[in-house]
Structures are given as C-alpha cells and as structure tokens.
Amino acid sequence: MIDDDARLMLRVRGGDRRAFEALFRRYTPPLVNFLARMLPERDRAEELAQEVFLRVYQARDRYEPRARFSTWLFSIASNLALNELGRSYRKRETPLEESVLDRLEDPQPGGEEHLEAKRAVSAVEQALASLPDRQRAALLLRAERGLGYAEIGEVLGASPSSVKSLIHRARENLLKLLGEREP
Amino acid sequence: MSGCNRFGPELDAYLDGELDAETREGFEAHLPACASCSLALEKRASLDHAIALLPRVEPSPQFEARFWARMARAEEPAGWRARWFALPRLGWVAAGAALVAGLALLLSLRDPSLSAQDWAIVADAEGFELLLEADPELLAALDVLEAWSGSEEI
C-alpha cells in the first residue's frame, strides 16, 4: 500500500516539480526540528536539512516506494547527522540539576511557574543533547515522530531488538541526567 | 532499575506498545503488585510527555529561499548534461550528421581543389613556417644546412 507521500514522490520521479515542492513544505518543519535536536549548531542543522532534500531530489529517478517516504527521508537525515557527529562534535557529560519533570506540567504564562517551566524545558533539551547520538536519535524518532521500533530500525540500520535496547538506555540515561532516581 | 529486575527493556517496549501479547499479559499481571515497575513506568511516561512538550525548532525565515538557491546551483551543470544526454537516438544521429556536414563545408570553403591529404600538407607547411618565424636560430641553422646541401650537389 503506497502512502500519500510516496505517491507524491512517484510524481517527482516523473518530473513533477510541484510534487517535490509539496513534500519539501510538508517535511521541512519536522526535519529541521529533528536535525536541530541532533546537532549542537542550528545553522548546521539547517544546512543538513537542505542536503537531505537535495539528495532526495537527486535520487528521484531511482526512487522505489519500498518503505514509507518519511522512513527514507529520516534515514538520510539520521545518516548525515550521525556522520557529522562522529566527525566533529563532543558531547556534554555533565549531570543536570535536581528533578525537573514535575516542573514541566501546566506552565502559566508570566508567572513564577512559567519561569520554572522554561528552566525545565531547557533542562530536558540539555539532557537530550547529552545522550549518546544513536540513543538520542532513537528516542526522538519514537517520542516526537511516533515511529515504531521496526521503522526506527530501518532508519538507523538496526534490528528492532537493538532499537528496544537503545530506547531503554536512552530513557534510563535521561532520567539519571534529569535527577530522577530509579525506583 | 534497582528495585525489580524482572522487566528491563520490556518496560519501555510496553510503554511503546511493542510487546508481544504473551509478554504484555505477563507484565500487566506483574504491574499491580510491583511498586518499583509501576513507578518506573510512570516516570518514563512523564519523560515522553516532557519531550512531546518541548517547543519545536522552526526553520529560519531564509531556509526556503536558501534551499531553492542551492537547488538551482546544483541543477545547473546537471541540467545541461541531462538535456544533452537526453537527446533521443535519432537526435544523436542527426547531431553526428550535422557535425560531419559542417566539417566538409569548412574544408570546401577553404580550397575546393584540395583533398584532405593536401590540407594536411598545407597545415604542416603553415605550422613549420610559423615555427621558423618564431625561432631565428632555427632559421639560421636551416640556411647553413641549405648552403651545405647545395655545395654537396656541386
């Protein structure tokens, strides 16, 4: 069964530039968000997002709808991001402050609680950035994109059982970094 | 998890709806009696909720314009090559015939009485004269050689 994105991509393969523009507009926000969470530099994340779309367009003649279009797109994005991270960046290892998860609930704009919530958001972002790269990618694909383990496996080139382990370790590490004690 | 070691990664898989039916039933039977697993599950759910609440990183306002500019740059050489190689087979034959006809026309315009072999000789001679003009020493040496070859004849 071919999804709507794959149908658009088949039109791109047939030379329909407008179909590519539609895919570009549809996937720019989630792709930029994913890469910005994966890489420490926002500008570089945007450059890689452009590179992803460029590669999609350049590979249009060879496109076959074997998997969901989004799986293919995020595979390219993950590969580029993980290669980039493997080359040039060091990760932060510093544990963060005390438990922050409670402070994320129901922030009231303008008040003290709002400030607390902003700090909590920043703490979660920082903790995510501190995770090992593949753990972070797996958890983001799960928690933000809602991908299943098999699909995350396709994106990261891993088996579903490896993905299960990656996500388990990602959550355990995050809880530790956020100051949550394991029961 | 320090309190209960019976379920490790399965706890996450349960939260993500990735457990097979048998393991899920076993976990659900275990859960009410295990405070440790219940709390671990709750914390993981809060964590996912926290990630979902994170503000999305939006593309910068220049993102789209920059991308299309980059696309245009990337397409330039490929577009020219693609158009050239995308010529149908008949087009290739026509292009080849036009090239041959053009060369023949060029040759006939220069001197219709000369054959291709003649043209090669003329080109050689022209090239040699240019070489002599450019190198006076070679010209002088040639004069000496000419004089010497003349005296031999005598």
Side-chain angles (χ1 to χ4, degrees):
Chain A
M1 173 113 173
I2 297 178
D3 63 15
D4 184 40
D5 296 334
R7 257 193 290 277
L8 277 172
M9 193 57 211
L10 286 172
R11 280 170 50 194
V12 176
R13 192 178 73 177
D16 185 344
R17 179 72 173 242
R18 284 188 184 281
F20 179 68
E21 288 170 14
L23 283 170
F24 173 79
R25 265 184 242 110
R26 186 176 294 178
Y27 279 100
T28 288
L31 198 60
V32 167
N33 181 63
F34 174 73
L35 288 167
R37 296 249 176 262
M38 284 301 294
L39 300 168
E41 288 164 20
R42 161 73 180 268
D43 286 351
R44 191 65 190 132
E46 291 207 351
E47 278 173 22
L48 281 198
Q50 290 179 359
E51 181 68 28
V52 172
F53 284 117
L54 208 57
R55 289 190 184 201
V56 164
Y57 191 72
Q58 285 167 345
R60 65 193 182 281
D61 293 340
R62 303 188 297 277
Y63 176 73
E64 293 293 340
R66 289 190 198 96
R68 275 169 57 180
F69 171 79
S70 60
T71 308
W72 182 47
L73 191 80
F74 279 89
S75 300
I76 301 171
S78 299
N79 281 334
L80 287 174
L82 292 172
N83 284 342
E84 178 92 359
L85 288 161
R87 272 204 303 270
S88 52
Y89 298 112
R90 280 190 301 120
K91 289 171 284 300
R92 290 181 294 259
E93 299 284 347
T94 328
L96 297 161
E97 53 185 301
E98 288 300 297
S99 173
V100 292
L101 292 181
D102 295 340
R103 289 188 268 138
L104 271 164
E105 301 294 328
D106 302 325
Q108 300 298 314
E112 182 64 25
E113 281 180 356
H114 182 62
L115 206 63
E116 276 288 288
K118 275 182 82 173
R119 282 196 209 109
V121 164
S122 164
V124 174
E125 285 177 329
Q126 211 182 324
L128 260 175
S130 306
L131 285 180
D133 305 329
R134 284 172 69 80
Q135 287 182 25
R136 181 164 69 262
L139 191 61
L140 285 172
L141 290 167
R142 171 67 219 149
E144 285 201 322
R145 298 289 309 150
L147 265 55
Y149 287 6
E151 216 170 349
I152 296 170
E154 280 181 55
V155 169
L156 296 178
S159 66
S161 64
S162 300
V163 171
K164 184 163 83 172
S165 172
L166 274 176
I167 287 180
H168 172 66
R169 280 182 282 133
R171 285 195 181 117
E172 286 209 322
N173 286 334
L174 264 188
L175 287 170
K176 274 181 205 151
L177 285 163
L178 293 169
E180 298 288 338
R181 289 205 181 90
E182 286 289 320
Chain B
M1 290 203 316
S2 54
C4 176
N5 292 321
R6 194 171 155 198
F7 293 93
E10 283 73 23
L11 207 139
D12 296 273
Y14 176 77
L15 185 68
D16 296 329
E18 294 276 348
L19 279 187
D20 61 80
E22 194 183 334
T23 318
R24 191 181 64 242
E25 282 165 19
F27 182 70
E28 282 173 348
H30 165 82
L31 206 52
C34 182
S36 171
C37 282
S38 296
L39 189 57
L41 195 63
E42 195 182 307
K43 282 188 179 298
R44 279 162 165 72
S46 297
L47 188 64
D48 278 18
H49 182 57
I51 294 171
L53 281 180
L54 290 178
R56 296 285 177 267
V57 182
E58 298 292 334
S60 61
Q62 305 84 12
F63 180 84
E64 194 165 338
R66 279 187 191 145
F67 173 71
W68 294 116
R70 201 171 159 184
M71 269 282 282
R73 283 198 303 276
E75 273 190 307
E76 255 170 34
W80 179 85
R81 274 188 224 112
R83 275 198 301 280
W84 179 254
F85 287 108
L87 280 173
R89 192 163 292 172
L90 194 61
W92 277 103
V93 173
L99 187 67
V100 170
L103 279 173
L105 183 67
L106 187 70
L107 285 172
S108 66
L109 281 176
R110 291 187 75 170
D111 187 345
S113 64
L114 292 175
S115 67
Q117 199 180 358
D118 294 335
W119 269 114
I121 293 165
V122 169
D124 275 355
E126 282 174 357
F128 190 59
E129 276 174 24
L130 282 172
L131 187 70
L132 289 180
E133 278 173 27
D135 191 346
E137 281 184 21
L138 185 62
L139 192 62
L142 202 66
D143 286 343
V144 171
L145 193 66
E146 209 169 33
W148 176 78
S149 105
S151 66
E152 279 287 302
E153 272 176 23
I154 294 166

